[in-house]
Amino acid sequence: MREIPKGGNVGLAALSEDTGSVILSLNWSTVTGDGDADVSVLLLNGDGKVRGDADFYFYNNPAAADGSVQLLGKTPTAEGNEDRISLDLTAAPPDVERIVVAASRYGGAGFGDLSDLRITLADRAGETLLGFSIDDADVESAFIFGELYRRGEEWKFRAVGQGYESGLAGLATDFGIDIDDDAADEEVEASQEAALERAPAPGAEGALGVPAQTAPTARVTGEESTSAVARRPRTARKKVTLPKIAKKSLAENDSWRSARLFPVSSLKNDREREMRATSVLLSVMVQVPEFGRRLTAAFGAPAGRMETFTEVSLPHGGNAPKRPDGVIRVERAGKLWTALVETKTNGNPLKSEQVQDYMDIAARRGYEAVITLSNDVALEGSPLVDVKVDGRRKHKVALWHLSWAEVTHHAQMLIRHEGVGNTAHAWLLQELLQYLQHENSGCHGFQNMGPAWVPVRNGIDDETLCQGDQRAVDVVESWDRLIRQVCLRLGGELGQKVLPVQRARRGTDQSSRRAASADRLCQEGRLYAELRIEGTSGILAIVADLRTGKLRTSIEIPAPDQGYPLTWAKRLVRQLAEAPADLHVETLVEGEGGGPRGTLERLRPEPADMLPKSGARISGFRLSLLKGMGSARGNAESGFIRSVDDAVNRFHSGVVAHLGRRPVRRP
């Protein structure tokens, strides 16, 4: 990888022969793990201005219609998280001469509060080509990290590192974008609500039996409802509201099941599940372009005409032909991008020798990628399969992994929160979700803590588990996979960014971090995790105590800046009016070990009991729920995985959701 200084530039062709599509990653970290920023991309003409407001891509406009820009969202890393952007440079309009990559903060926060600001660029095969680190950020609330620009037929990258104290709106205005966050807000939201009232309820049938308006289609609350309002970018996030009341079903009783486009009741074995799941997914990817592009852009695929195939027979040297589960082909400007797909369902693991065969076939035939798809969640520094790459081959083949939980997450984000092109597309995605979430599909995500789970539990119970035991590291890896999946599921349901908080020193690799967590597990018998949910007042903490068999979910909320402590206590009790009675409330006191504590049931009639008798200054409140922990390693009702999911669900819906969203003021 090549490091370039501020102001430096380099031609992409000099770094790789495969830079028609590139992946840009923006990284930052904080000590507390709760710092964040939003990425944005601007397409500029020869005058250094956007051609129109549609050339501004950010959280309210994450993808270009021609596929040239796709914001891929955030993914956890060793030091925090990274925000990724896919750029198909071959699809960039000819009058676009510069592509600016920036990020912005909100709520008065500046980039000086973040550490390790960095941008990297990778080619289509996923190989990181260059990096640029920013070390002079201060009070700026928006930052241009870098830009790609044309020089004749070649694209070059320039490290910029320029900040804006005026934030995202100031940056956008500087490039010719008219931001309107205030004047049109009330009119837009009123027209949204009116459109929702006019929309038929879910289940209303249209032509060809396609629902006329299903609950997941949120696009009617966006583009169509704002036709009477100036269509200017709004840096305030879109307000997406779904119809609340569905028409009564015509079924005679609950035993009647609606006919499904993708039935699962006839599936009898894993082979049938793999074939059906692959065909269903690849078919929907073609029929719903937004969904197909969202998945393939992360793998370096160009934007173009997509076709998918199943059960293709491919020669393998002198051996018998191999039959990958699927093939994805994308055509762009007469060139083909091809990926082989290997699918597993239920708890079936990927086989290294099988994936190795597909990598060899792809290299010989000039294909670009092999994509593995299973219920396992990939972790940085811990590959699911080991394959050997022949460095003598000029053609590079990228190996990517996709979990069924990620597929479900992206489908949920599109139909429930971001919107898709038309009602039929939303209906297809809803049918895909119904299929993936059915108990017989085998596509339920991570569902087994592994063979080390029971020995580690037993070793903690009888105090024979020693530090350095590899089985403890295996359990920590499984715990990390489970937490990643919890984030995907919760984020898809809420439409918010949900990421695990990583508290590690800069430069600490993942294997060292997991080894330290494994040693802590051996000492304390506990697994720890923290989730950062956008808009919430604090970090959601999860502690699994293997000695007591209890799960603790908690959140710490800071005390208000103004007002009286008794007023704070009364307001908190009112906010938690519908929270579980067994919720533990602890007052956090500055300079002391701990303040008063008690259950919500006891504190409701006497909120003053939350105040310290000594009159010490209150810094905040900790809210906690305890739940019994499943012991089995699988995903059954009595399993550990199911108990973690249930605990997070109960705590978020019963506690966090009632605390109200933290004010998120976009510049």
Side-chain angles (χ1 to χ4, degrees):
M1 181 178 63
R2 179 172 177 176
E3 290 289 333
I4 59 176
K6 183 174 181 177
N9 62 80
V10 62
L12 300 187
L15 302 175
S16 173
E17 297 179 354
D18 199 8
T19 54
S21 292
V22 296
I23 301 291
L24 293 166
S25 299
L26 276 64
N27 302 75
W28 43 77
S29 63
T30 59
V31 176
T32 59
D34 59 353
D36 197 13
D38 293 312
V39 302
S40 53
V41 174
L42 301 99
L43 306 186
L44 309 181
N45 58 22
D47 297 329
K49 303 290 184 181
V50 296
R51 301 167 303 163
D53 290 344
D55 283 343
F56 179 34
Y57 299 97
F58 62 122
Y59 39 77
N60 281 346
N61 182 33
D66 59 9
S68 57
V69 180
Q70 176 80 54
L71 305 189
L72 300 174
K74 299 183 186 297
T75 184
T77 63
E79 289 84 18
N81 61 74
E82 67 179 18
D83 225 317
R84 297 183 302 149
I85 304 164
S86 171
L87 298 179
D88 185 355
L89 301 178
T90 64
D95 53 345
V96 170
E97 295 195 4
R98 291 167 58 198
I99 302 176
V100 173
V101 180
S104 57
R105 303 203 70 194
Y106 45 87
F111 275 90
D113 301 328
L114 301 179
S115 304
D116 310 315
L117 297 177
R118 181 171 173 79
I119 182 172
T120 57
L121 183 146
D123 64 10
R124 182 177 293 172
E127 181 178 346
T128 303
L129 304 178
L130 60 86
F132 164 52
S133 297
I134 299 173
D135 55 11
D136 57 352
D138 192 6
V139 297
E140 302 90 349
S141 55
F143 233 94
I144 296 178
F145 279 63
E147 64 179 17
L148 292 109
Y149 61 98
R150 295 185 195 261
R151 280 295 179 267
E153 297 298 320
E154 183 186 8
W155 282 95
K156 303 185 76 174
F157 176 84
R158 178 183 291 117
V160 179
Q162 175 186 347
Y164 286 75
E165 292 186 35
S166 52
L168 177 61
L171 181 151
T173 303
D174 205 27
F175 291 109
I177 295 171
D178 187 8
I179 297 293
D180 187 0
D181 279 346
D182 301 320
D185 277 1
E186 294 183 2
E187 187 175 352
V188 169
E189 292 180 5
S191 61
Q192 289 176 347
E193 294 174 0
L196 287 169
E197 291 176 359
R198 294 192 300 269
E205 298 288 325
L208 302 178
V210 177
Q213 173 68 35
T214 58
T217 52
R219 181 57 61 88
V220 70
T221 67
E223 295 179 0
E224 296 172 9
S225 64
T226 59
S227 58
V229 183
R231 298 192 184 195
R232 293 178 240 172
R234 301 171 58 218
T235 57
R237 287 194 181 275
K238 289 180 181 177
K239 180 181 179 182
V240 179
T241 307
L242 304 180
K244 297 180 179 179
I245 303 176
K247 281 190 175 180
K248 183 179 179 181
S249 172
L250 300 180
E252 199 168 285
N253 55 59
D254 293 340
S255 65
W256 288 22
R257 295 285 180 262
S258 298
R260 300 254 70 100
L261 179 64
F262 310 120
V264 289
S265 57
S266 61
L267 298 177
K268 296 180 175 60
N269 55 57
D270 288 337
R271 182 57 182 159
E272 289 183 3
R273 291 185 181 91
E274 290 176 9
M275 294 172 62
R276 178 75 61 84
T278 305
S279 183
V280 167
L281 174 62
L282 297 185
S283 177
V284 174
M285 286 172 61
V286 172
Q287 298 304 320
V288 185
E290 304 97 316
F291 181 61
R293 180 61 185 154
R294 191 182 185 107
L295 294 182
T296 58
F299 304 141
R305 184 173 67 93
M306 181 187 298
E307 285 192 30
T308 54
F309 309 87
T310 59
E311 296 300 309
V312 175
S313 180
L314 296 173
H316 183 41
N319 301 319
K322 298 296 180 181
R323 297 171 64 89
D325 293 310
V327 177
I328 302 173
R329 304 204 87 174
V330 181
E331 181 189 30
R332 174 77 191 178
K335 296 182 179 180
L336 285 175
W337 178 91
T338 307
L340 304 181
V341 181
E342 172 61 15
T343 304
K344 296 296 181 184
T345 56
N346 281 341
N348 297 317
L350 294 162
K351 299 178 180 178
S352 296
E353 61 274 12
Q354 198 172 30
V355 177
Q356 183 71 64
D357 288 342
Y358 296 147
M359 290 287 288
D360 294 339
I361 291 173
R364 285 199 301 269
R365 301 182 70 86
Y367 297 162
E368 282 71 22
V370 173
I371 301 171
T372 57
L373 179 60
S374 73
N375 281 319
D376 272 326
V377 179
L379 293 178
E380 184 181 358
S382 180
L384 294 173
V385 290
D386 293 321
V387 296
K388 297 179 180 178
V389 178
D390 190 345
R392 296 171 296 178
R393 285 191 174 123
K394 184 177 180 181
H395 182 75
K396 293 186 295 184
V397 178
L399 177 61
W400 304 97
H401 180 73
L402 185 65
S403 72
W404 286 112
E406 290 176 272
V407 175
T408 301
H409 170 81
H410 290 307
Q412 286 178 317
M413 291 297 294
L414 277 173
I415 63 176
R416 294 181 180 173
H417 307 290
E418 297 175 11
V420 291
N422 59 52
T423 307
H425 289 172
W427 181 68
L428 278 173
L429 281 178
Q430 182 64 19
E431 287 296 304
L432 173 65
L433 271 180
Q434 291 279 354
Y435 178 89
L436 296 176
Q437 294 171 345
H438 193 281
E439 59 183 8
N440 199 30
S441 70
C443 306
H444 306 131
F446 179 74
Q447 53 186 339
N448 196 311
M449 291 296 291
W453 175 250
V454 173
V456 167
R457 279 184 57 90
N458 293 338
I460 289 174
D461 286 341
D462 55 27
E463 299 184 0
T464 59
L465 188 65
C466 301
Q467 294 187 19
D469 194 320
Q470 180 59 39
R471 294 175 300 180
V473 177
D474 294 342
V475 167
V476 169
E477 281 197 5
S478 296
W479 172 248
D480 283 351
R481 297 184 199 278
L482 174 57
I483 295 303
R484 296 280 179 92
Q485 179 166 289
V486 169
C487 291
L488 289 169
R489 179 187 52 75
L490 190 58
E493 292 174 359
L494 301 177
Q496 305 289 348
K497 291 176 290 188
V498 181
L499 291 168
V501 175
Q502 302 279 15
R503 300 182 189 271
R505 291 183 179 180
R506 180 70 177 175
T508 303
D509 59 29
Q510 290 285 41
S511 59
S512 299
R513 183 189 66 81
R514 293 187 188 114
S517 298
D519 289 343
R520 188 178 183 184
L521 172 63
C522 296
Q523 286 180 317
E524 303 177 8
R526 294 174 180 171
L527 293 165
Y528 297 87
E530 293 178 309
L531 310 184
R532 177 167 51 82
I533 305 172
E534 183 186 34
T536 57
S537 301
I539 301 295
L540 194 159
I542 309 169
V543 180
D545 193 326
L546 276 64
R547 285 178 176 157
T548 63
K550 295 288 185 181
L551 280 167
R552 176 185 292 271
T553 46
S554 62
I555 189 170
E556 293 184 9
I557 55 175
D561 295 330
Q562 299 178 343
Y564 298 97
L566 182 57
T567 305
W568 304 342
K570 289 180 177 179
R571 183 186 299 124
L572 181 61
V573 169
R574 286 197 303 270
Q575 286 180 316
L576 299 173
E578 299 181 18
D582 60 340
L583 177 70
H584 287 246
V585 181
E586 179 183 359
T587 304
L588 304 178
V589 179
E590 290 184 355
E592 297 184 12
R597 65 180 69 187
T599 63
L600 185 60
E601 183 178 28
R602 185 179 68 81
L603 295 172
R604 274 174 175 154
E606 292 294 340
D609 289 347
M610 298 165 61
L611 308 182
K613 303 300 183 184
S614 62
R617 181 179 175 83
I618 296 174
S619 60
F621 302 92
R622 181 184 292 118
L623 311 177
S624 308
L625 274 179
L626 293 173
K627 181 185 183 300
M629 187 179 75
S631 58
R633 70 181 188 181
N635 196 30
E637 290 289 343
S638 60
F640 175 72
I641 294 174
R642 184 72 61 87
S643 64
V644 172
D645 275 332
D646 292 345
V648 173
N649 281 343
R650 181 178 182 233
F651 188 72
H652 185 272
S653 61
V655 180
V656 178
H658 298 296
L659 295 175
R661 290 178 55 80
R662 180 185 64 195
V664 179
R665 295 184 178 87
R666 302 290 179 179

